[in-house]
Amino acid sequence: MQVLGVGPVDLLLIHWPNPAVPLAETIGALCQARRDGLARHIGVSNFSASRLADAVALADEPLVANQCEYHPRLDQSALIAACRRHGVAFVGYAPIGSGNLLDDPLLATIAARHDRTPAQIVLRWHVQQGTVAIPRSSNPARVAQNIDLAGFTLTDADMAAISGLARPDGRQFSPAWVESWD
């Protein structure tokens, strides 16, 4: 990491699988970066369950994460299960639907009952599933709220109701060149 002027990065991810580059070549380069000491950990991003299985089989270094879009409007249960089978952490980007969930009436009702914000409710939903959520905010007050997830637990009914927000058109990020989603 001489160019960056730092030691090894903590986590190096492939941002999207590229159908124009053989997966074996991509995973080989990622593993080599770890062996060369450029990254402490390596992983993938936006890999489907089948592509993740292929990547794990090709990797001679452990893949530790698969970072994918995930929020209550997008059911990722099959992909989360695949990550768990392979010992790979599921990391959800856009965990509150890029802010599109903040006005949802169900989330507002649950938030009022817990004296929390809708964003805190959704982030707690992630935590209770054992997934990692990486919300984005430039507002220091919201950053503090996003961290303040202790001290309350969603009920099983809350969890089920929030998961029930999933819909077939829930994906927000779907570039035209993506081959397929689970």
Side-chain angles (χ1 to χ4, degrees), residues 152-170:
F152 77 104
T153 302
L154 298 172
T155 66
D156 290 345
D158 291 338
M159 293 292 290
I162 296 166
S163 295
L165 293 173
R167 55 191 203 202
D169 65 345

Side-chain angles (χ1 to χ4, degrees), residues 5 12 20 33 41 47 54 59 63 66 87 89 97 113 124 141 154 176:
L12 178 64
H41 304 283
F47 273 45
D54 293 343
L63 299 178
N66 186 12
R113 193 169 57 247
R124 183 69 198 181
L154 298 172

Side-chain angles (χ1 to χ4, degrees), residues 71-76 100-101 104 162-172:
H71 47 77
R73 289 196 180 138
L74 180 61
D75 179 8
Q76 291 281 38
N100 295 325
L101 291 165
D104 185 278
I162 296 166
S163 295
L165 293 173
R167 55 191 203 202
D169 65 345
R171 187 175 300 281
Q172 295 179 358

Side-chain angles (χ1 to χ4, degrees), residues 4-170:
L4 295 176
V6 298
V9 296
D10 289 329
L11 177 60
L12 178 64
L13 301 176
I14 297 170
H15 188 60
W16 289 91
N18 184 341
V21 178
L23 186 60
E25 182 180 328
T26 301
I27 297 300
L30 191 62
C31 291
Q32 188 63 50
R34 183 171 187 275
R35 283 193 300 278
D36 289 346
L38 300 175
R40 288 186 179 94
H41 304 283
I42 56 174
V44 296
S45 186
N46 299 300
F47 273 45
S48 66
S50 61
R51 190 168 298 255
L52 177 64
D54 293 343
V56 168
L58 290 166
D60 56 8
E61 296 287 335
L63 299 178
V64 301
N66 186 12
Q67 179 180 300
C68 300
E69 178 183 355
Y70 188 42
H71 47 77
R73 289 196 180 138
L74 180 61
D75 179 8
Q76 291 281 38
S77 55
L79 184 54
I80 292 167
C83 287
R84 288 184 175 139
R85 277 193 307 276
H86 294 293
V88 172
F90 183 90
V91 179
Y93 66 80
I96 54 174
S98 298
N100 295 325
L101 291 165
L102 297 178
D103 294 327
D104 185 278
L106 171 71
L107 296 174
T109 299
I110 296 171
R113 193 169 57 247
H114 289 280
D115 194 28
R116 299 293 176 147
T117 67
Q120 288 174 308
I121 296 302
V122 174
L123 294 172
R124 183 69 198 181
W125 173 79
H126 284 274
V127 167
Q128 285 184 217
Q129 292 177 73
T131 63
V132 178
I134 50 172
R136 179 181 70 93
S137 181
S138 59
N139 180 320
R142 285 198 189 109
V143 171
Q145 287 174 347
N146 291 345
I147 294 169
D148 185 20
L149 301 178
F152 77 104
T153 302
L154 298 172
T155 66
D156 290 345
D158 291 338
M159 293 292 290
I162 296 166
S163 295
L165 293 173
R167 55 191 203 202
D169 65 345

Side-chain angles (χ1 to χ4, degrees), residues 166-179:
R167 55 191 203 202
D169 65 345
R171 187 175 300 281
Q172 295 179 358
F173 303 96
S174 189
W177 46 266
V178 171
E179 291 176 334

